């Protein structure tokens, strides 16, 4: 589990460094989408899918 600010919250030993760089890039590209989904979920609404890194 990774927080919106990129902090690893759980299982940090399970993330290879090269994969973390990809996750960080994806999170940066989709920061607004991630924040919008967080807002929707906090209001009890459904989230929308965010495309994967390609």
């Amino acid at each position: 589990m990774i927080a919106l600010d990129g902090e690893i919250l759980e299982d940090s030993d399970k993330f290879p460094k090269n994969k973390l760089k990809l996750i960080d890039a994806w999170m940066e590209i989709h920061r607004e989408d991630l924040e919008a989904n967080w807002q929707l979920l906090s209001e009890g609404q459904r989230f929308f899918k965010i495309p994967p890194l390609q």
Side-chain angles (χ1 to χ4, degrees):
M1 187 181 317
I2 300 176
L4 287 177
D5 65 2
E7 178 186 356
I8 300 172
L9 302 175
E10 290 182 17
D11 299 328
S12 62
D13 56 329
K14 293 184 180 181
F15 284 96
K17 287 196 179 253
N18 61 337
K19 302 297 182 200
L20 279 176
K21 288 181 181 182
L22 292 173
I23 292 169
D24 284 339
W26 180 84
M27 288 177 68
E28 187 62 33
I29 292 167
H30 295 289
R31 181 153 315 276
E32 289 180 6
D33 293 332
L34 290 165
E35 290 173 355
N37 268 341
W38 179 255
Q39 186 64 38
L40 289 170
L41 290 167
S42 67
E43 295 171 356
Q45 298 180 38
R46 290 186 55 135
F47 66 91
F48 57 90
K49 289 186 178 185
I50 302 173
L53 190 62
Q54 296 189 6

